[in-house]
Amino acid sequence: MTDSPSAARIFLIADDHPMVRDALRTVLSQSFSGAIIGLAGSLAEAQAALERQPDTDALLLDLDMPGMDGLTGLALLRSDWPTVPIIVVSAARDAAIARRTHDLGASAYVDKSASLEVIAATVRAVLDGEIIAPPEVGADADTFAQRAGQLTPQQWRVLALMVQGDQNKQIAYKLSVSEATVKAHVTVILRKLGVRSRTQAVIEARGLSLPPT
């Protein structure tokens, strides 16, 4: 079943493996008539593509590609483009990873080994407004990833640089803001994350990284 040409959808596939991109492009082309499909091979390319096409209907996102830094890349994309549904398509077969992507705002999580029919059905469900939560996610779970989901895009940028080991002065330079502004962001970040120190925030944030494959 395919959509009519008048309902052409705009997709972005972000994966650094050409074969995976081709497979996903094929299933989207076959399932959604007249679909406009963009391709990206890194976080920076995905960000640039979304800048060009902010009304993208869905982003199919690989977690393990250049620039992603584990789940930090997902959080940055979710913060910068809150209206674009994100479907994580990952080879990380870990229930905890799936839960964290949900906590950080992904609409669905699909294993790369899933059939093309399952991927198409998931994309269609997300386009219909569904959020497919992993069964392990509890309604009242309070995880670091959920708390981190409250950060603004700029706060995520500050946190990402903190994780890299940058001090406030370096962060201020890289983000073209004052050091006082960075300090204010750090204070809010610690409060939102429910941690007492910068070190604790960095340790917790590093827990968003992906296990080695």
Side-chain angles (χ1 to χ4, degrees), residues 171-211:
I171 295 173
Y173 175 76
K174 290 181 178 179
L175 297 182
S176 299
V177 298
S178 70
E179 193 170 348
T181 297
V182 174
K183 288 180 180 177
H185 278 311
V186 172
T187 298
V188 175
I189 289 168
L190 298 186
R191 187 179 73 244
K192 286 185 176 180
L193 297 183
V195 297
R196 293 175 178 270
S197 69
R198 184 190 189 102
T199 300
Q200 188 181 355
V202 169
I203 291 172
E204 293 275 13
R206 283 177 177 156
L208 296 175
S209 61
L210 300 178

Side-chain angles (χ1 to χ4, degrees), residues 47 75-82 153-154 157:
Q47 291 171 316
L76 285 169
L77 292 169
R78 175 73 291 143
S79 296
D80 284 337
W81 288 276
Q154 188 73 335
R157 295 183 190 105

Side-chain angles (χ1 to χ4, degrees), residues 69-169:
D69 193 18
L71 298 180
T72 301
L74 165 63
L76 285 169
L77 292 169
R78 175 73 291 143
S79 296
D80 284 337
W81 288 276
T83 62
V84 177
I86 298 177
I87 301 166
V88 173
V89 184
S90 175
R93 299 181 181 180
D94 185 332
I97 296 295
R99 287 198 298 273
R100 285 184 221 156
T101 63
H102 172 80
D103 292 341
L104 290 170
S107 296
Y109 183 97
V110 184
D111 193 297
K112 280 187 177 179
S113 65
S115 68
L116 298 185
E117 290 77 12
V118 167
I119 294 174
T122 300
V123 173
R124 199 175 295 279
V126 168
L127 291 178
D128 286 340
E130 292 185 37
I131 295 177
I132 305 172
E136 298 85 1
V137 175
D140 58 352
D142 178 28
T143 68
F144 177 80
Q146 281 180 317
R147 299 194 299 276
Q150 303 172 35
L151 299 181
T152 65
Q154 188 73 335
Q155 288 161 3
W156 264 112
R157 295 183 190 105
V158 172
L159 180 58
L161 291 172
M162 287 165 58
V163 171
Q164 291 178 19
D166 288 355
Q167 297 303 309
N168 289 351
K169 193 170 189 177

Side-chain angles (χ1 to χ4, degrees), residues 17-29:
H17 292 92
M19 289 181 64
V20 174
R21 289 200 301 266
D22 288 345
L24 292 174
R25 180 166 54 182
T26 296
V27 71
L28 293 177
S29 297

